[in-house]
Amino acid sequence: MKAKGLKSVQQMVSSAGSKYEGDVKDERMDGQGKFTMANGNFYIGQMKDGQFHGNGVLYFPGLGRFHGRWDRSKVIKGKYVFEDGLVYDERRWEYCPERDRRFYTASAEYDQDEATFQDQLVTAAEADQECGTACAKPIEIPAGCYDVGDGYFDPSNKSVYTYDGEFIRHPTKDEIDWIVKSCAQNQTKVRFGK
């Protein structure tokens, strides 16, 4: 026998395009359920009085997921896991250091668009100031090499070097496979001889 007012439903749909599948109490999300937002992101977990409350996972399809504990829709504690399994840790985050070329590409595209649109709210200089050193011009790596975050991988001798050219390590075969599959490569043609 269910508690007074508690019933299980197949689906509730809002006019905004979100939907809910799970337990309800007094016509509000309450218990265990799945809430799907209009943009495709969804939450699976505990609900109380129409809000995320308790343990649950907020999914961002194709990007990652946030495992957390909520108190009336406010996050109390949690962790974000990227689609590739990398766990974000704000205390020891070294994955995208300053002058990382991945940030440079995005900021360069922004600067180009900014010059095109006169009605932008901020100027390119303000955007660069807001984004700080991450928008600085990226460190150059040799032609044909791969950016591995702590330096570059040279496939010609299967070695990883600092951005200043100092030897770091010989990666394992598994790491080399991952680098070639996952890391950005300077695709400038390698010239042999003079």
Side-chain angles (χ1 to χ4, degrees):
M1 184 170 173
K2 294 186 179 186
K4 184 180 178 194
L6 184 64
K7 63 181 179 178
S8 185
V9 295
Q10 290 298 314
Q11 191 175 72
M12 294 169 48
V13 180
S14 79
S15 60
S18 61
K19 69 180 180 179
Y20 174 73
E21 300 171 68
D23 297 326
V24 294
K25 181 178 178 183
D26 299 325
E27 297 186 30
R28 296 179 66 96
M29 301 180 296
D30 205 303
Q32 190 70 24
K34 177 181 180 181
F35 180 79
T36 304
M37 296 162 217
N39 66 2
N41 296 340
F42 60 96
Y43 169 86
I44 297 176
Q46 298 171 326
M47 307 281 193
K48 185 174 182 180
D49 197 26
Q51 300 178 10
F52 300 171
H53 188 82
N55 294 321
V57 181
L58 185 56
Y59 293 87
F60 305 92
L63 300 172
R65 61 198 177 279
F66 182 81
H67 298 258
R69 180 164 183 77
W70 279 262
D71 182 13
R72 294 179 300 238
S73 289
K74 284 189 169 183
V75 174
I76 302 302
K77 185 177 182 181
K79 68 178 178 179
Y80 186 83
V81 180
F82 290 92
E83 188 72 16
D84 65 0
L86 178 67
V87 177
Y88 175 72
D89 183 347
E90 67 184 28
R91 294 165 298 173
R92 297 178 310 153
W93 187 250
E94 298 174 2
Y95 184 70
C96 297
E98 293 178 359
R99 296 188 57 173
D100 188 310
R101 67 181 69 328
R102 289 167 288 197
F103 290 128
Y104 178 73
T105 301
S107 70
E109 288 171 6
Y110 172 80
D111 290 344
Q112 191 173 39
D113 290 344
E114 204 288 331
T116 305
F117 300 105
Q118 297 300 317
D119 59 349
Q120 289 287 58
L121 297 175
V122 294
T123 66
E126 289 170 327
D128 284 345
Q129 190 174 33
E130 285 178 19
C131 128
T133 58
C135 290
K137 189 174 179 184
I139 298 165
E140 297 296 325
I141 62 171
C145 293
Y146 294 83
D147 186 355
V148 295
D150 62 343
Y152 63 87
F153 170 70
D154 185 342
S156 69
N157 61 15
K158 295 182 173 62
S159 298
V160 175
Y161 298 90
T162 66
Y163 292 115
D164 295 327
E166 295 177 31
F167 175 81
I168 298 177
R169 68 182 177 281
H170 292 293
T172 65
K173 182 184 179 330
D174 288 342
E175 185 180 6
I176 292 171
D177 291 344
W178 182 86
I179 289 169
V180 171
K181 182 176 89 176
S182 306
C183 295
Q185 181 184 28
N186 179 350
Q187 296 190 7
T188 305
K189 293 190 180 190
V190 179
R191 296 178 192 208
F192 298 99
K194 289 192 176 189

